[in-house]
Amino acid sequence: MTSSSDRSSAVDVQGSKSYEIRTYGCQMNVHDSERLAGLLEDAGYVRAPEGSDGEADVVVFNTCAVRENADNKLYGNLGHLAPKKARRPGMQIAVGGCLAQKDRDTIVKKAPWVDVVFGTHNIGKLPVLLERARVQEEAQVEIAESLEAFPSTLPTRRESAYAAWVSISVGCNNTCTFCIVPALRGKEKDRRPGDILAEVEALVAEGVSEITLLGQNVNAYGSDIGDREAFSKLLRACGKIEGLERVRFTSPHPRDFTDDVIAAMAETPNVMPQLHMPLQSGSDTVLKAMRRSYRQERYLGIIEKVRAAIPHAAITTDIIVGFPGETEEDFEQTLHVVREARFAQAFTFQYSKRPGTPAAEMENQIPKKVVQARYERLVALQEEISWEENKKQVGRTLELMVAEGEGRKDDTTHRLSGRAPDNRLVHFTKPEQQVRPGDVVTVEVTYAAPHHLLAEGPVLNVRRTRAGDAWEQRNAQEREKKQGVMLGLPKIGVPAPLPVATGSGCGCD
């Protein structure tokens, strides 16, 4: 999954304790942080002002452990907060997520000013642990070894009024040699289909029109409940929910990507023509060393079937460069797959030792200089392909779901931005009539760059939606609050897309 570092925007209300959440890692962590925010607000906390930089009453780190320097980053940030905490009696610091699950008591030993350490299986305990630490005046370290309750039962403060994550499983049954996630998230646990669909229906009733189904290995869904076709059935069931316009999912594993899933994608209108299919390496030798249960021929066969069933599908991927023992011939096999698959975009990673993984102890670790050179060759090739694939979009008429905050230059260019059905980012000319995030516009693509498209002509159609109504209502409520208190508007936008990466993030799927 993708890498992100997000500092929650926040509010500060006189007389209430404020909180700030800093999130590192994949979409699962981002969604967990929405739950942490919901838990804290349920307990009476409010968000601290954006840019407060550790001035909140409670600062929570939701950590990632899949990069070699993850702990250095955490302890550096904790060190930055130590003098602030010393000056402010009552301030609390909590550390959760994958690194907390891995390091446990080590965190408090290295940073004794931390108040709470909690793991990936017991995020629901955060408010209780904070209160216990306050009353007992000592650090609380509580790491559950297995999932106590499925996280979706917890309160959630969603970052978007019109798009939402929905977890369908947690944990992973794979044993990839470069990935520590199964050791930290545990074995796969599936939610009951009825519970998932009930959550989706409730979200749609609130105005959400796009959902992204989440799982560490999302298309393995059903292995825990004994139904190998459970995931395709779930996609088809989502297609029957009135008002749900877009369904996405991330991230699947090639091993579990079966023909019934391809058929469900092709035959369910609201399942979007987008697929993120991690490759990791094009070399059968390297894939075997990674303990990936597919080979190049199987992978390219899946891509071929998807393209036959869904001709306009945009396919993205993850690739690791410089895995231990990778030869020049192995790397050339990866380039071969990239040329054959013609990915719309790719997350490209330089191999990084994950402490606690078998790969970290392997012989023939590749010199940094060699890894860097291969990485640059891969990025150059993928950039070329991404641009060529985007140029094929010029002249097409697309329906975009309007987004907020995805076009960094929108204010200066007088444009708006939105996502096409295949998740490509499109910047379009701002129409005279009001268009809200969550609304849908129809545009014609006039220009292509490697990582975005432009629609420079007039908008062909604007469709106001319930999702746009939900966005408008949410912002009206925030403005009402602002009249009485200093309020920073929350970040609004669809869940983070899958852009080309620059060598950071987990790439663990």
Side-chain angles (χ1 to χ4, degrees), residues 173-242:
N173 294 335
N174 294 319
T175 57
C176 300
T177 55
F178 56 81
C179 183
I180 198 170
V181 169
L184 304 179
R185 292 275 183 178
K187 293 292 185 181
E188 180 177 324
K189 296 292 183 184
D190 295 335
R191 291 178 71 189
R192 291 165 52 92
D195 293 342
I196 296 169
L197 294 172
E199 181 181 355
V200 174
E201 289 171 348
L203 289 167
V204 171
E206 294 173 8
V208 168
S209 62
E210 174 176 316
I211 63 158
T212 301
L213 303 176
L214 281 183
Q216 222 75 49
N217 182 10
V218 70
N219 61 321
Y221 176 74
S223 63
D224 184 46
I225 57 179
D227 185 354
R228 289 184 58 82
E229 295 189 352
F231 185 62
S232 61
K233 292 175 183 176
L234 181 63
L235 291 178
R236 292 183 185 277
C238 287
K240 298 177 182 178
I241 297 177
E242 186 175 353

Side-chain angles (χ1 to χ4, degrees), residues 205-475:
E206 294 173 8
V208 168
S209 62
E210 174 176 316
I211 63 158
T212 301
L213 303 176
L214 281 183
Q216 222 75 49
N217 182 10
V218 70
N219 61 321
Y221 176 74
S223 63
D224 184 46
I225 57 179
D227 185 354
R228 289 184 58 82
E229 295 189 352
F231 185 62
S232 61
K233 292 175 183 176
L234 181 63
L235 291 178
R236 292 183 185 277
C238 287
K240 298 177 182 178
I241 297 177
E242 186 175 353
L244 180 58
E245 297 197 18
R246 296 186 172 191
V247 178
R248 306 186 191 276
F249 58 88
T250 195
S251 287
H253 191 292
R255 183 196 66 185
D256 303 298
F257 207 81
T258 49
D259 290 348
D260 61 296
V261 174
I262 297 173
M265 291 178 65
E267 296 166 9
T268 310
N270 65 354
V271 176
M272 294 295 95
Q274 171 207 355
L275 175 63
H276 184 70
M277 180 67 75
L279 169 65
Q280 307 304 5
S281 174
S283 163
D284 288 354
T285 301
V286 174
L287 288 171
K288 183 177 180 180
M290 289 178 167
R291 290 187 197 153
R292 302 288 284 180
S293 51
Y294 56 89
R295 299 296 178 258
Q296 180 187 122
E297 184 179 1
R298 157 77 172 149
Y299 185 92
L300 288 174
I302 294 171
I303 301 300
E304 184 178 358
K305 287 181 179 180
V306 171
R307 289 251 160 80
I310 315 168
H312 289 300
I315 301 175
T316 57
T317 195
D318 294 332
I319 300 173
I320 296 173
V321 178
F323 188 81
E326 180 188 71
T327 65
E328 179 62 24
E329 183 180 353
D330 292 326
F331 178 65
E332 286 291 346
Q333 288 299 306
T334 295
L335 297 181
H336 168 71
V337 175
V338 170
R339 293 187 186 100
E340 291 293 312
R342 299 196 65 79
F343 301 113
Q345 293 185 10
F347 286 91
T348 51
F349 305 93
Q350 296 185 42
Y351 171 74
S352 173
K353 287 184 178 181
R354 275 75 162 179
T357 63
E361 306 301 323
M362 287 182 178
E363 297 179 352
N364 299 320
Q365 300 283 329
I366 310 300
K368 170 66 176 176
K369 184 177 180 180
V370 175
V371 177
Q372 181 67 33
R374 290 177 183 171
Y375 173 77
E376 290 173 2
R377 288 164 58 195
L378 174 61
V379 169
L381 174 61
Q382 182 56 52
E383 287 278 303
E384 178 184 334
I385 292 172
S386 293
W387 200 357
E388 289 173 355
E389 291 301 304
N390 273 0
K391 286 176 181 176
K392 296 177 183 178
Q393 304 297 311
V394 174
R396 290 190 65 195
T397 298
L398 301 175
E399 272 200 340
L400 311 179
M401 181 175 289
V402 181
E404 183 172 68
E406 295 213 54
R408 291 173 296 180
K409 299 180 181 179
D410 281 355
D411 290 340
T412 57
T413 59
H414 303 290
R415 293 181 180 130
L416 297 175
S417 299
R419 291 280 169 180
D422 65 9
N423 211 36
R424 281 182 165 95
L425 178 63
V426 184
H427 307 301
F428 62 94
T429 302
K430 188 174 183 179
E432 291 185 5
Q433 66 190 103
Q434 181 192 25
V435 178
R436 308 160 301 177
D439 287 339
V440 174
V441 300
T442 305
V443 302
E444 181 179 330
V445 178
T446 58
Y447 175 81
H451 306 302
H452 70 267
L453 304 171
L454 290 182
E456 300 163 298
V459 170
L460 303 178
N461 184 57
V462 175
R463 175 164 61 88
R464 293 173 69 86
T465 66
R466 291 175 60 253
D469 294 343
W471 179 89
E472 190 169 30
Q473 181 180 10
R474 178 164 167 166
N475 278 265

